Amino acid sequence: MKAPKIGLVLSGGGIRGIAHLGVLKAFKDKNIKVNAIAGTSAGAIAGALVANGVDPYEALTVFNETRLIRHLRPAFGSPALLNLETAFTLLHTYIPHNSFEQLTTPLTVTATDFNHGKLVYFHQGELIRKVLASSCIPGVFSPILIDGVLYVDGGVLNNFPIEPLWSDCDFIIGSSCNHLPNITAVRNIKHALERAALLSLNNSMEQKCKKLDILIEPKGLGATSIFDVAKAEEIFWLAYEETLSKIPAIKEKTHFL
């Protein structure tokens, strides 16, 4: 029996995107082979590293030791707080060929064409700037210019890009790091704004989940701030354990395809 082609969708979510590395670590430990990855924002970064053969826990270690935030510089004279392009050198260290075509696992990343207000899927050519463009949260990071077009975070228009996998995969797994717990009160303005943003990002999840074969979504993770770097290790292992609980179902379902 031919092995099914497994696709993996990785959502955006800031530091919560570390969860995707925990998911991929569990897959590696339990011999679940992913044949194609589609990711947005933090999911694009995690996807690019692992698609190039970087061990998921090593990717976490790289983040913890280098503190990606050190590579972000104030974007003076631009309509944002930080310039994400300074992270290029860090990613280039782990993806020196800087090419979609040379990845060991096919990868598609989303970005938002800010000039024309439309969603773009990148899957070929130069890699790193497109991954960074997918991660440019508007107002936080300066847009990235590629071939004369300004790009920002793909999550603006599609935070869970399952679409590139529909036609080419037999079995699709989704990794979402934005599950929101119920609340009884709003703590402050920051809490209200963050929750509203996440509600917007999760708006289409119900419909998209109908197209998934398995969803991995650690409960309540959306309550963690997208910049809470101190929780990186905790997020990783939370997602790892959640994924282990899904492995029997994944193996059972893919066995009959």
Side-chain angles (χ1 to χ4, degrees):
M1 182 181 296
K2 183 180 178 182
K5 186 172 183 179
I6 296 177
L8 177 64
V9 189
L10 306 177
S11 73
I15 192 61
R16 296 190 300 269
I18 292 290
H20 304 317
L21 297 177
V23 171
L24 287 157
K25 169 66 171 169
F27 284 174
K28 182 177 181 180
D29 288 351
K30 298 300 179 179
N31 298 311
I32 302 293
K33 178 176 172 54
V34 173
N35 304 104
I37 298 172
T40 291
S41 197
I45 295 175
L49 289 169
V50 176
N52 197 48
V54 178
D55 177 80
Y57 191 75
E58 180 186 353
L60 172 66
T61 302
V62 167
F63 177 86
N64 283 336
E65 290 182 352
T66 61
R67 295 295 187 186
L68 182 59
I69 197 68
R70 297 176 186 171
H71 292 263
L72 309 179
R73 297 291 180 265
F76 297 114
S78 66
L81 300 176
L82 301 167
N83 187 344
L84 191 58
E85 290 201 63
T86 54
F88 181 96
T89 301
L90 174 62
L91 288 180
H92 193 261
T93 301
Y94 298 95
I95 314 174
H97 54 75
N98 190 23
S99 166
F100 278 93
E101 288 78 5
Q102 293 189 52
L103 295 171
T104 57
T105 303
L107 173 71
T108 300
V109 302
T110 68
T112 299
D113 175 342
F114 218 36
N115 293 48
H116 307 98
K118 63 181 182 179
L119 183 69
V120 175
Y121 294 105
F122 289 123
H123 59 88
Q124 59 186 9
E126 180 189 6
L127 171 71
I128 296 174
R129 284 175 58 78
K130 293 169 183 174
V131 168
L132 293 177
S134 179
S135 309
C136 277
I137 303 170
V140 177
F141 302 122
S142 297
I144 286 184
L145 187 68
I146 300 174
D147 297 330
V149 177
L150 291 172
Y151 291 94
V152 297
D153 198 304
V156 171
L157 295 178
N158 189 350
N159 199 53
F160 198 71
I162 188 175
E163 294 82 358
L165 303 176
W166 277 343
S167 62
D168 200 35
C169 294
D170 306 306
F171 192 88
I172 301 178
I173 301 170
S175 175
S176 172
C177 56
N178 298 310
H179 180 271
L180 278 171
N182 294 329
I183 61 172
T184 58
V186 176
R187 297 189 300 271
N188 49 44
I189 292 177
K190 179 175 178 288
H191 180 212
L193 292 174
E194 287 182 346
R195 186 170 179 86
L198 267 180
L199 288 172
S200 178
L201 288 179
N202 285 332
N203 182 52
S204 62
M205 279 297 294
E206 183 176 350
Q207 290 302 313
K208 292 195 175 190
C209 284
K210 293 177 181 179
K211 302 287 187 178
L212 291 175
D213 294 286
I214 292 286
L215 174 65
I216 300 169
E217 188 177 46
K219 299 299 184 288
L221 193 53
T224 300
S225 168
I226 61 172
F227 297 114
D228 194 351
V229 295
K231 291 191 175 179
E233 187 95 17
E234 176 185 336
I235 290 169
F236 180 96
W237 291 114
L238 179 67
Y240 179 84
E241 293 297 331
E242 178 71 15
T243 306
L244 288 182
S245 73
K246 303 285 187 176
I247 295 296
I250 293 172
K251 290 192 172 183
E252 179 182 6
K253 290 185 177 183
T254 55
H255 176 73
F256 293 104
L257 292 178

